[in-house]
Amino acid sequence: MDVKSNIFKCGKDLFSTKGFKKTNIKQIAEKANIGVGTFYNYYTSKEQLFIEIYTQENEKLKSRLIESIDLTQEPVKLIKLLLMENFKEIHANPILKEWYNQDFYKELEQYYRNENGKNIDAIRSLYVDLLKNWKSQGKIREDIDEELLPVFFDSLICIDTHKDEVGIQHFPQVINYLVEFIIQGLTNHHK
């Protein structure tokens, strides 16, 4: 195993057991049998290492969700199922659960705001593709411009980045309802 892969693996082990806040670079270096200076040859900070680990875990989760769920279901039911499964998986994974950790999610959000974060978000592209498909099948209201469809999803991301203001204890329920309301509103043919 090369040094960078070893640092990644040891960091992932420590972050999974101790959490982001209680893990430091010295511990990662010791577990990887390297010096702290060697760590810095590969990563500029523990945040950079964690974000790389988090991103990999997040992509694995999104791929599993896409493969395991029947995407032909009725829109409201499908979106609620995707959200529920996503939430369950996040809370079962100590790395992904850091998204709800006030000490760290600001760092993650900053990362996801830049172009790299947007390009790798498989769940966003899944939702956008589903909405466009539904629009072409007549399941989405005619009066809603197709260019607006990704904006609805992006607005949820904006709310997600303010979860501390919403109240982190209420956030999962609030986002679940908002998604349901948006999908029902988009698919409601009564004006």
Side-chain angles (χ1 to χ4, degrees):
M1 184 184 294
D2 67 56
V3 176
K4 186 171 186 175
S5 299
N6 191 34
I7 293 170
F8 185 93
K9 183 192 171 307
C10 294
K12 184 175 173 181
D13 290 348
L14 286 167
F15 289 133
S16 293
T17 55
K18 298 175 75 138
F20 172 76
K21 189 176 182 180
K22 291 182 180 171
T23 300
N24 62 48
I25 291 170
K26 184 175 184 271
Q27 293 164 335
I28 296 167
E30 283 173 3
K31 186 168 177 72
N33 292 317
I34 58 168
V36 170
T38 303
F39 175 93
Y40 286 110
N41 290 336
Y42 297 92
Y43 295 97
T44 57
S45 64
K46 83 170 185 175
E47 288 79 7
Q48 183 194 19
L49 171 60
F50 186 85
I51 285 171
E52 198 173 293
I53 293 166
Y54 178 91
T55 302
Q56 184 189 76
E57 289 297 296
N58 195 35
E59 287 306 299
K60 281 196 248 174
L61 164 61
K62 304 314 176 206
S63 296
R64 276 196 315 273
L65 282 178
I66 291 166
E67 289 167 16
S68 69
I69 292 177
D70 173 13
L71 301 178
T72 62
Q73 298 178 59
E74 180 266 321
V76 175
K77 186 178 174 186
L78 173 59
I79 297 298
K80 284 180 91 174
L81 182 63
L82 273 170
L83 268 178
M84 191 178 68
E85 290 301 314
N86 190 48
F87 185 74
K88 263 194 332 205
E89 290 265 347
I90 285 172
H91 282 272
N93 182 318
I95 300 288
L96 294 176
K97 203 172 179 182
E98 291 287 342
W99 183 254
Y100 293 98
N101 178 345
Q102 289 185 333
D103 297 318
F104 189 66
Y105 70 70
K106 291 267 186 256
E107 296 266 351
L108 275 174
E109 287 165 353
Q110 194 57 47
Y111 173 75
Y112 275 94
R113 277 194 197 110
N114 75 27
E115 261 326 285
N116 290 337
K118 269 209 160 158
N119 290 338
I120 62 166
D121 196 359
I123 205 77
R124 180 188 190 275
S125 56
L126 171 66
Y127 280 110
V128 171
D129 289 347
L130 284 171
L131 289 169
K132 285 183 178 179
N133 253 348
W134 292 334
K135 176 84 171 165
S136 71
Q137 294 168 14
K139 292 180 181 178
I140 299 278
R141 287 171 34 182
E142 291 288 320
D143 62 321
I144 296 176
D145 187 336
E146 193 168 309
E147 285 182 30
L148 273 180
L149 296 178
V151 179
F152 287 107
F153 184 81
D154 292 340
S155 68
L156 292 171
I157 292 171
C158 186
I159 293 167
D160 191 60
T161 61
H162 292 274
K163 59 185 152 292
D164 52 340
E165 294 160 36
V166 172
I168 207 143
Q169 71 279 21
H170 301 296
F171 177 76
Q173 284 181 299
V174 168
I175 206 81
N176 193 16
Y177 281 120
L178 286 173
V179 169
E180 179 183 338
F181 300 156
I182 289 170
I183 296 300
Q184 284 176 342
L186 289 173
T187 57
N188 183 357
H189 293 287
H190 304 65
K191 288 184 190 141

